[in-house]
Amino acid sequence: MAAPVPHPDKEPDAAPAASTRSAGRLLYLAGVILLCAWVLVPIYFLMINTLSAPETVNSFPKPFFPEFDLGSLQFFAGFAGMLAALKNSILVAALTMIMSIAIGSPAGYALSRFDFPGKELFRLLILLTRAFPLPLLALPLAVMFIQTGLDDTQFGLALVHTTLALPFAVLITFSLFSGIPIELEEAAWTLGCTRLTAFTKVVLPLILPGITASAIFAFVISWNEVFAAAVLTIENRTLTAFLLQSLDTPPLHLKFAGGFILVVPALIFIFAVRKYLFAMWGIANR
Amino acid sequence: MAEIQIKNVAKRFGAYQALHNINLTIADQEFMVLLGASGCGKTTLLRIICGLETATEGEVWIGGRRVDHLAPKDRGIAMVFQNYAVFPHLTVFENIGFGLRMQKLPDDEVKRRVERVAGLMHIEMLLKRYSGELSGGQRQRVAVARALAMEPDVILMDEPLSNLDALLRMEMRAELKGVLAESKTTAVYVTHDQVEAMSMADRISVMHQGKIVQAASPIEVYRNPAAEFVASFIGNPPMNFLQATSAGDGKWTVAGRVVDGPKGAGKPLQFAIRPEDMQPANEGLKARVRIVEPLGAHLLVTCDVDGAMFRAVLDSDMVVKPGEILTLAPQPDRVRWFDPETTLAVA
């Protein structure tokens, strides 16, 4: 709202000011294009190679347009263990999604509605959980998992992924709950609701889209995670871990197809929930 | 039948004492207004009656039943919030019927009651709309209808008209008063607007710094303020105050003139008079006119009496110029006296 109002240019120096402005604009545009290309060009190449026949993928020069040949994808689907890995990925991501929302949204609600000592510190600590490099934790985790029998299980991996997704789940739901006026809940309490029924009848319907977004984000975090997956699973590898493991063995078109299958759902999901990810940092204009 | 009794209620937020030992009885079907400046504790008191806030000390009784340990839903109350709190995900019909659905009333009973209160508040044509499609005034009506639909013993209102524009506020004020009188519920109404309080209340509780300074009928509060705070808070412009020194038994010197006053007491008092209770006369207080504000219905004159600011409301036909000296005679039966030490009224 409070955008600076440009000074009305006086006649004599209007020309230099205008040229400075257009130069700045050009620089800005170039920056935008560069950043877009940085992200989009690799994805484009990934798509071309995925949708081309295996022979084309291995030949040179590369085509600039996809042939829409499903040969690579078919080969990918037929590769031993690939479908099982895909299934594992989906299962682990779904478990992560459920657990991070089940644990994260009550925390978000508490942060938004209650005052308790150490609240600010708690918010900071939530983010700090992301400050520990996973490789540091991987070995003790693996040992612990083996001791408890959680190693090489989808549930065990989902637990690790949940800890990764939890900070975001808490912060997103915190911002969602804060967007709901407390008076709506209070009104519900005076109209015959308990805290729980006020939540299910008033708050939940209002934040459901945001909760869905937060859930999808947790799904994507798990879907993309490779390190913990590679360390903690052997038989029940997720797709990322499986592809990492087989990076040096299979033909080129398999890697492209695998990469494509990994990237596309994440891209679509993140695109769908982008509005709520901004909300997490409090800059949404809902 | 629902009389509200507030017994020795106190509320502390940490070290801050929001309410000091409040005792108040609100009769069945009475319209009680809690009036005070922001931060005086009036909303806190309302929320304690409602159950949205718990008192640090004391008891709340509604209809002969102690309720301070009960959840809001079990107190037989309904509340209208300042920002309306109309549920955005429900239609107007479902908003009004929300509490009835929670009571699991049959559909036809819900429909009957919703339609009745919607008719009362003139919003029958809005029942299918969502809150986002309503104006502020319409939302306000929905909020009141939702509270009325509960057929509560007590209806609590927290500045319900403060978000409306002036014209709409005046219209809703009269309408609300009529609807509530007809519904025969006890009403507790919080406001900082003295005009709202004067026009709607059966009784006004004037609150200041977490205490009830005076609880009386609007005209009593206006005519016989129990304390200096009430005298200067109620009335626009507020009461005038002048220093008075004792001049023998029952005689007091005010701005160089001797007037009759309370008997006894040798210490100085405050002489107080409402701006409209003075007439220009041959004998009276000498007032140097500083500012003249013609307000249409009357003339507001700000003057200087004995070095103190003094306002008089005069007939709009009078010709008064700044710098002029007016002689103003206070209407004797409207003069009030206050003890400057206790700030309380002296009979």
Side-chain angles (χ1 to χ4, degrees):
Chain A
M1 292 304 278
V5 180
H7 294 290
D9 290 316
K10 292 198 185 94
E11 277 308 318
D13 52 24
S19 78
T20 317
R21 201 181 306 151
S22 69
R25 198 171 161 70
L26 207 68
L27 207 67
Y28 173 74
L29 266 178
V32 169
I33 291 171
L34 197 72
L35 281 175
C36 287
W38 178 271
V39 174
L40 291 177
V41 169
I43 293 175
Y44 185 66
F45 279 130
L46 194 61
M47 189 186 78
I48 292 176
N49 285 305
T50 307
L51 294 176
S52 298
E55 302 78 50
T56 324
V57 174
N58 291 310
S59 68
F60 201 83
K62 303 280 184 195
F64 271 94
F65 299 100
E67 295 173 328
F68 295 107
D69 183 308
L70 297 180
S72 296
L73 281 173
Q74 269 163 6
F75 182 84
F76 167 83
F79 194 79
M82 202 56 96
L83 281 182
L86 184 64
K87 202 189 84 198
N88 281 335
S89 264
I90 294 172
L91 183 67
V92 171
L95 279 173
T96 303
M97 182 170 91
I98 293 165
M99 287 195 287
S100 58
I101 289 304
I103 302 170
S105 57
Y109 183 84
L111 275 178
S112 133
R113 287 289 189 254
F114 300 113
D115 270 319
F116 50 87
K119 182 168 153 176
E120 291 307 310
L121 184 69
F122 181 63
R123 277 180 68 183
L124 195 70
L125 286 177
I126 289 174
L127 277 177
L128 275 183
T129 57
R130 297 296 318 235
F132 291 99
L134 202 53
L136 202 73
L137 300 174
L139 195 64
L141 260 181
V143 172
M144 213 164 80
F145 272 32
I146 289 167
Q147 280 168 353
T148 51
L150 278 173
D151 59 307
D152 205 14
T153 63
Q154 290 96 340
F155 178 70
L157 184 57
L159 274 183
V160 177
H161 287 175
T162 301
T163 53
L164 295 178
L166 207 49
F168 298 102
V170 173
L171 289 181
I172 295 176
T173 52
F174 162 68
S175 127
L176 290 169
F177 288 126
S178 300
I180 311 272
I182 180 79
E183 285 86 355
L184 287 184
E185 274 182 87
E186 290 180 341
W189 298 341
T190 62
L191 290 168
C193 286
T194 60
R195 241 181 209 279
L196 184 69
T197 51
F199 183 83
T200 57
K201 290 210 178 278
V202 173
V203 180
L204 201 58
L206 291 173
I207 61 154
L208 205 55
I211 290 276
T212 314
S214 168
I216 287 175
F217 191 61
F219 187 95
V220 171
I221 285 179
S222 164
W223 178 267
N224 284 344
E225 203 284 326
V226 61
F227 191 87
V231 173
L232 296 176
T233 58
I234 297 158
E235 294 294 318
N236 292 315
R237 297 237 126 158
T238 60
L239 193 55
T240 45
F242 187 81
L243 282 174
L244 182 74
Q245 177 192 33
S246 5
L247 258 187
D248 49 345
T249 41
L252 198 54
H253 50 269
L254 178 82
K255 295 177 200 165
F256 277 119
F260 187 72
I261 293 293
L262 271 176
V263 166
V264 167
L267 266 185
I268 292 173
F269 284 161
I270 292 292
F271 186 76
V273 302
R274 65 197 182 285
K275 177 170 103 173
Y276 294 95
L277 298 182
F278 287 131
M280 176 169 60
W281 308 112
I283 50 173
N285 47 351
R286 275 178 290 151
Chain B
M1 284 296 287
E3 182 190 68
I4 304 171
Q5 282 176 296
I6 295 154
K7 297 179 183 172
N8 305 315
V9 162
K11 176 70 184 179
R12 280 184 290 276
F13 293 106
Y16 175 69
Q17 182 102 27
L19 292 175
H20 298 265
N21 195 35
I22 301 279
N23 281 289
L24 185 66
T25 302
I26 302 165
D28 181 39
Q29 299 186 27
E30 188 176 24
F31 195 125
M32 171 63 91
V33 170
L34 304 180
L35 177 66
S38 55
C40 71
K42 57 191 192 297
T43 295
T44 305
L45 181 57
L46 188 80
R47 290 171 63 88
I48 286 172
I49 300 173
C50 183
L52 294 173
E53 206 82 69
T54 47
T56 315
E57 284 163 32
E59 300 173 6
V60 179
W61 293 67
I62 295 177
R65 193 166 59 112
R66 187 172 172 186
V67 296
D68 44 81
H69 57 286
L70 296 178
K73 68 184 179 70
D74 301 320
R75 296 187 177 199
I77 50 110
M79 175 122 166
V80 179
F81 291 82
Q82 182 173 6
N83 63 2
Y84 321 136
V86 173
F87 304 129
H89 62 297
L90 298 176
T91 60
V92 168
F93 183 98
E94 286 305 326
N95 259 287
I96 299 175
F98 187 89
L100 310 176
R101 298 253 190 247
M102 290 307 298
Q103 291 173 8
K104 305 229 181 322
L105 292 183
D107 278 353
D108 52 335
E109 171 71 4
V110 172
K111 190 164 181 296
R112 193 186 62 75
R113 279 220 230 169
V114 169
E115 280 169 359
R116 191 183 68 81
V117 294
L120 223 52
M121 296 307 297
H122 307 294
I123 46 172
E124 308 94 320
M125 63 294 179
L126 303 176
L127 287 176
K128 289 198 173 68
R129 301 241 195 121
Y130 287 89
S131 143
E133 304 164 314
L134 303 178
S135 68
Q138 288 169 333
R139 269 178 233 178
Q140 181 55 61
R141 285 167 186 277
V142 174
V144 174
R146 184 173 65 185
L148 288 174
M150 299 290 288
E151 296 178 4
D153 298 328
V154 175
I155 191 160
L156 306 169
M157 284 173 279
D158 185 8
E159 310 226 10
L161 304 183
S162 64
N163 287 358
L164 302 179
D165 62 62
L167 201 65
L168 201 54
R169 202 180 310 163
M170 202 159 85
E171 188 187 311
M172 279 298 286
R173 202 166 72 197
E175 205 174 317
L176 211 50
K177 186 175 179 174
V179 166
L180 285 171
E182 203 159 308
S183 71
K184 298 196 193 310
T185 52
T186 310
V188 186
Y189 187 106
V190 162
T191 184
H192 63 267
D193 181 338
Q194 49 163 309
V195 181
E196 235 169 81
M198 295 289 290
S199 68
M200 297 175 89
D202 292 328
R203 213 144 55 97
I204 298 177
S205 294
V206 183
M207 294 187 66
H208 183 51
Q209 294 179 342
K211 291 177 186 136
I212 293 178
V213 188
Q214 186 174 14
S217 72
I219 200 68
E220 177 72 9
V221 167
Y222 188 80
R223 284 279 171 246
N224 299 313
E228 272 184 44
F229 172 77
V230 181
S232 54
F233 187 76
I234 306 243
N236 188 20
M239 253 181 164
N240 293 304
F241 293 98
L242 292 173
Q243 295 285 347
T245 47
S246 180
D249 192 34
K251 299 287 179 197
W252 297 83
T253 311
V254 179
R257 276 191 82 243
V258 175
V259 293
D260 289 337
K263 300 227 183 298
K267 57 183 180 175
L269 291 181
Q270 291 267 35
F271 164 95
I273 183 85
R274 290 227 172 256
E276 67 272 25
D277 293 337
M278 276 170 302
Q279 292 298 323
N282 297 329
E283 283 278 298
L285 303 167
K286 299 283 179 227
R288 177 180 292 276
V289 177
R290 297 168 65 101
I291 302 159
V292 180
E293 297 168 77
L295 299 178
H298 44 250
L299 201 63
L300 176 58
V301 184
T302 306
C303 349
D304 210 40
V305 174
D306 198 24
M309 188 167 76
F310 199 87
R311 291 197 191 86
V313 171
L314 303 176
D315 192 282
S316 56
D317 288 340
M318 275 194 66
V319 181
V320 182
K321 292 212 160 45
E324 216 175 298
I325 308 257
L326 286 176
T327 308
L328 298 170
Q331 215 174 303
D333 60 327
R334 295 282 167 85
V335 174
R336 297 293 175 265
W337 301 88
F338 294 95
D339 184 336
E341 274 170 32
T342 60
T343 79
L344 297 179
V346 179

